Amino acid sequence: MIETGSWRHLGGGRKGLFLILRYVFIIAASYLLLFHRTDAVVPPICAFMIAAALTSNIFLSFLAPQNLFAWYVEAPVLIGDTLWVSWALHASGAIGQEFFLLYFFVLFLAATGESLLMVVLGTTAVTIANVYLIADQSVFAAAYLLRIVFFFSVAMFYGYVLSQIRKERQRADRGFAWARELEAKVEERTEAIRRLYDESLVANRLKSEFVANMSHELRTPLHIIMGYAEMLIGLEEAPADDERLMLRRIQDAAGNLLQLVNSVLDLGKLDAGRVPVANQAVSLTQFATQLQRRDRVPRAPGVRIEWDLAPDLPSIETDPTKLASVVDNLINNALKFTPAGSVTVRARNRPAEREVEFQVQDTGRGIDERDLSRIFEPFYQVNGAVVHPCGGVGLGLAIVQRYLTLLGGHIDVRSRLGEGATFTVRLPYRNERSAAADVASHATRPEPRHPQIAA
């Protein structure tokens, strides 16, 4: 038995069957045309049509099955075959009107028949009718036997093609129904996600308000504690050394706690979009000089801060308070995680890009690659452990990233475990973000810009 996959250019399967049936139909029509002619010469136009039909089958063999049985291919093929065969048989002059009536009746059966059996039975009835109509002539003559072959080839070819078109249409209908069902499910899920998003916005707003209220409530007693400790230290009757040491510890602990409360309050304001941007002209040379005079978190013994400032630092338009907070947080973060060595702070001008660059590089233990993508998340700490006496809850880098978004800048991180870390901040000469635009953008809660990270 010949496998359909071995049919040369036919392709096998339903595509191969289509091409075989069309070859049979064209050949049957051609022989019918030849045997019904009254003369022995075939007009050139008829020969051309037969050759063109055979050639078109070769071109159809190069189409994929899903394209071959598409309506925009099959409809022209069926219409073209019907027209050229009808015209050629009529041009022979030897076929009567009763034949054309039976021919179109077979086409009607092929188009409306729901099953192949119905088409075959109808074609058999047409064949019997044809035999009855030519009862006065020799039924077994080649020309009349070819009519029977022609009717069955028409029935098989048209019936098969139209059945495939119906299947493609049903498949398309099922696809459209599935698409509509999927669209409805997507709309349902989208609505559910929208409700969850709205609920999360409300919950986040309530959380931010609660944190802000608690922060305000905590700041007042902390200021009182720090104030009374300062008063006790400055009394005329100086306390003993151990008492003074305890008072200093109270002051330091209260100061650290106040700094933590301020950070939480700042983060809540940033998340709520209530932080305005006060842009002004800033001389980076003076700015860097003031940065060097600031107090830093306690550092490990022997750890030093080195400053490498370019002489051509320009003046830029930005919010100096937020920029100072960004650089301070990066320096303090580097000091916390550097047990030995140095922390280097660099400032560079990048006139070609119209931006400036601040870089904080430490010789600490570095950051594991799997932690790099999360270090800017609020309250996230590497390995979940505090490795510095200053502690902290993981808000410094989160505030840095949010402030840089307000300032129109971005931050890159390069680090390897055991080799320290380098944080690079780039800011434009002019911050185009206005306070109003900033508040509006935060009110709509856009996605925060993720830092570019290189291992």
Side-chain angles (χ1 to χ4, degrees):
M1 181 177 180
I2 300 177
E3 296 183 359
T4 56
S6 64
W7 294 343
R8 295 181 179 271
H9 72 280
L10 301 183
R14 58 181 190 145
K15 172 183 173 181
L17 184 57
F18 163 82
L19 296 173
I20 284 289
L21 290 176
R22 188 161 184 261
Y23 275 131
V24 173
F25 166 70
I26 295 172
I27 293 171
S30 302
Y31 272 96
L32 186 64
L33 177 63
L34 293 175
F35 277 87
H36 271 281
R37 291 202 60 82
T38 56
D39 51 358
V41 179
V42 178
I45 186 63
C46 292
F48 172 78
M49 287 184 175
I50 295 172
L54 293 171
T55 304
S56 66
N57 228 30
I58 297 176
F59 285 108
L60 292 175
S61 66
F62 292 104
L63 295 178
Q66 62 268 25
N67 295 327
L68 181 63
F69 291 100
W71 67 268
Y72 51 82
V73 174
E74 290 303 322
V77 169
L78 294 181
I79 294 173
D81 285 343
T82 303
L83 291 177
W84 82 262
V85 170
S86 299
W87 180 87
L89 293 177
H90 176 71
S92 67
I95 297 180
Q97 295 180 353
E98 72 282 353
F99 175 82
F100 282 101
L101 179 63
L102 296 176
Y103 171 44
F104 285 105
F105 184 71
V106 171
L107 294 178
F108 175 76
L109 287 174
T112 59
E114 295 295 331
S115 66
L116 183 60
L117 178 60
M118 181 184 298
V119 175
V120 171
L121 291 177
T123 306
T124 303
V126 169
T127 302
I128 295 173
N130 181 64
V131 171
Y132 173 77
L133 292 174
I134 61 173
D136 58 336
Q137 305 178 36
S138 176
V139 178
F140 296 100
Y144 295 103
L145 288 176
L146 283 171
R147 290 190 180 192
I148 299 174
V149 176
F150 176 74
F151 285 141
F152 276 98
S153 66
V154 169
M156 296 297 292
F157 173 62
Y158 280 80
Y160 176 73
V161 172
L162 293 172
S163 68
Q164 292 300 314
I165 292 177
R166 282 194 291 269
K167 288 181 181 179
E168 291 295 328
R169 185 185 62 189
Q170 292 170 359
R171 186 180 294 109
D173 291 341
R174 288 194 298 270
F176 285 133
W178 178 81
R180 287 193 294 269
E181 182 181 354
L182 181 61
E183 183 180 0
K185 289 183 179 179
V186 169
E187 290 180 357
E188 181 181 351
R189 297 289 176 86
T190 303
E191 182 61 29
I193 293 174
R194 186 180 294 111
R195 288 197 301 270
L196 290 175
Y197 177 72
D198 293 338
E199 292 173 2
S200 67
L201 286 181
V202 173
N204 186 66
R205 178 177 58 80
L206 294 176
K207 180 266 297 180
S208 299
E209 292 176 356
F210 172 77
V211 170
N213 291 333
M214 288 300 298
S215 299
H216 283 298
E217 294 298 326
L218 288 172
R219 290 172 70 181
T220 300
L222 285 174
H223 280 296
I224 293 174
I225 292 172
M226 294 174 65
Y228 278 123
E230 183 68 28
M231 290 173 58
L232 290 174
I233 292 174
L235 288 176
E236 294 182 0
E237 297 180 1
D241 290 342
D242 55 346
E243 293 176 347
R244 185 182 299 274
L245 178 61
M246 286 189 292
L247 290 173
R248 289 295 183 191
R249 289 181 176 176
I250 291 174
Q251 262 193 325
D252 291 341
N256 291 334
L257 185 56
L258 181 61
Q259 183 179 4
L260 174 61
V261 170
N262 288 335
S263 296
V264 173
L265 185 60
D266 289 342
L267 184 65
K269 290 180 179 179
L270 285 166
D271 286 340
R274 296 198 298 266
V275 178
V277 179
N279 292 326
Q280 63 185 66
V282 178
S283 171
L284 290 185
T285 301
Q286 297 178 2
F287 175 81
T289 302
Q290 294 173 0
L291 277 179
Q292 298 179 57
R293 300 172 183 166
R294 286 176 176 256
D295 295 330
R296 305 292 172 198
V297 297
R299 70 192 77 167
V303 175
R304 62 192 183 279
I305 301 179
E306 299 178 351
W307 296 84
D308 180 11
L309 307 177
D312 61 340
L313 291 178
S315 293
I316 64 174
E317 185 175 331
T318 190
D319 188 325
T321 303
K322 293 178 178 57
L323 179 56
S325 178
V326 166
V327 180
D328 279 339
N329 272 302
L330 291 177
I331 296 175
N332 290 334
N333 186 73
L335 290 173
K336 287 181 182 181
F337 296 96
T338 304
S342 63
V343 173
T344 303
V345 183
R346 299 184 180 89
R348 294 285 183 270
N349 182 23
R350 297 165 59 94
E353 292 81 8
R354 296 192 58 78
E355 63 182 18
V356 292
E357 176 183 284
F358 288 91
Q359 191 176 83
V360 178
Q361 182 178 12
D362 62 66
T363 58
R365 66 192 189 103
I367 306 170
D368 196 311
E369 184 178 355
R370 59 189 173 185
D371 293 318
L372 282 174
S373 61
R374 301 193 59 191
I375 59 176
F376 291 93
E377 296 178 7
F379 306 106
Y380 180 79
Q381 291 181 301
V382 175
N383 296 329
V386 178
V387 296
H388 188 271
C390 292
V393 293
L395 291 178
L397 293 180
I399 293 176
V400 165
Q401 188 191 47
R402 285 161 171 75
Y403 273 171
L404 284 175
T405 301
L406 295 178
L407 298 179
H410 64 278
I411 184 169
D412 302 335
V413 186
R414 289 186 293 108
S415 181
R416 287 185 179 178
L417 202 59
E419 299 182 9
T422 301
F423 291 81
T424 303
V425 171
R426 292 188 177 90
L427 286 174
Y429 282 175
R430 176 183 174 84
N431 183 16
E432 301 294 342
R433 296 177 62 103
S434 65
D438 176 69
V439 171
S441 65
H442 278 71
T444 56
R445 301 303 304 274
E447 286 284 337
R449 179 176 180 177
H450 295 289
Q452 300 176 3
I453 297 174

